Amino acid sequence: MILTELVDARNAFLKDISKEHYATYLFNQHPPCNILELFAMAHDVTDIRMAPAIYEDYRESWGDQQDQPPTLPIVQEYTKHLLIIKDDPDLIAAHAYVWHLSHLQGNETSGKLNTWAKDKDVLINAITKRWQDSMLDEAKIAIDYAMKLMTGIK
């Protein structure tokens, strides 16, 4: 499965992460995930809303600090890519497949992100049903962005 490396990398990344680094990770993951989900909804994919849970977990992890974490350059780069592909439902689905399925198969430790999917098995099935082999190249791009986000934190 193409997500194995990403899921394993995310699990290792999250294993001993500090609360501040975790908040920074979530803060930087939220904008592109939110945009991706909005584009997916425009293509009638409405069952993958994870961005609110990411934001809630960021706020809880960051606490009462007045400032906010730094925005990593990869966030702007990835957002630009999503804007380029927004009108292609298959390309958007490839990114949703990577981000959402890797979270469903990973080991989020706590918070809303651990419980955002009401029925994980049903959602995993719905996401995998959308998969087409023609999405592979775009899915690899999504995986690359996800890996760069994690390496930008530590």
Side-chain angles (χ1 to χ4, degrees):
M1 176 175 233
I2 66 166
L3 294 179
T4 302
E5 183 180 346
L6 175 59
V7 171
D8 290 347
R10 183 179 290 128
N11 288 343
F13 172 76
L14 294 173
K15 186 176 179 185
D16 295 317
I17 195 168
S18 71
K19 199 169 189 175
E20 183 177 313
H21 280 127
Y22 185 59
T24 301
Y25 171 68
L26 295 171
F27 177 79
N28 281 276
Q29 189 179 4
H30 179 260
C33 183
N34 197 40
I35 290 168
L36 171 62
E37 290 174 353
L38 292 174
F39 293 153
M41 286 189 285
H43 298 296
D44 296 323
V45 178
T46 59
D47 53 355
I48 60 166
R49 200 73 176 118
M50 179 173 74
I54 292 172
Y55 187 76
E56 285 183 50
D57 283 358
Y58 150 68
R59 294 296 305 150
E60 182 179 316
S61 295
W62 195 246
D64 295 332
Q65 296 184 52
Q66 295 300 313
D67 57 346
Q68 59 187 22
T71 300
L72 301 175
I74 192 65
V75 173
Q76 185 175 10
E77 181 184 330
Y78 187 43
T79 301
K80 284 181 183 178
H81 181 76
L82 293 173
L83 289 168
I84 291 168
I85 67 166
K86 69 179 180 183
D87 294 323
D88 188 318
D90 289 340
L91 297 182
I92 291 296
H95 287 263
Y97 176 90
V98 167
W99 285 96
H100 294 76
L101 200 55
S102 67
H103 274 284
L104 289 167
Q105 294 177 342
N107 293 326
E108 297 296 334
T109 55
S110 62
K112 298 288 185 188
L113 199 49
N114 191 38
T115 60
W116 69 273
K118 290 175 181 52
D119 188 333
K120 271 186 167 182
D121 292 333
V122 170
L123 191 51
I124 287 171
N125 189 41
I127 292 171
T128 54
K129 275 185 174 180
R130 292 184 187 114
W131 177 259
Q132 300 173 36
D133 288 341
S134 61
M135 297 175 175
L136 182 58
D137 289 340
E138 195 65 28
K140 289 178 181 177
I141 291 170
I143 290 169
D144 186 53
Y145 280 118
M147 298 292 264
K148 287 179 181 176
L149 175 59
M150 287 184 288
T151 58
I153 302 294
K154 285 190 173 181

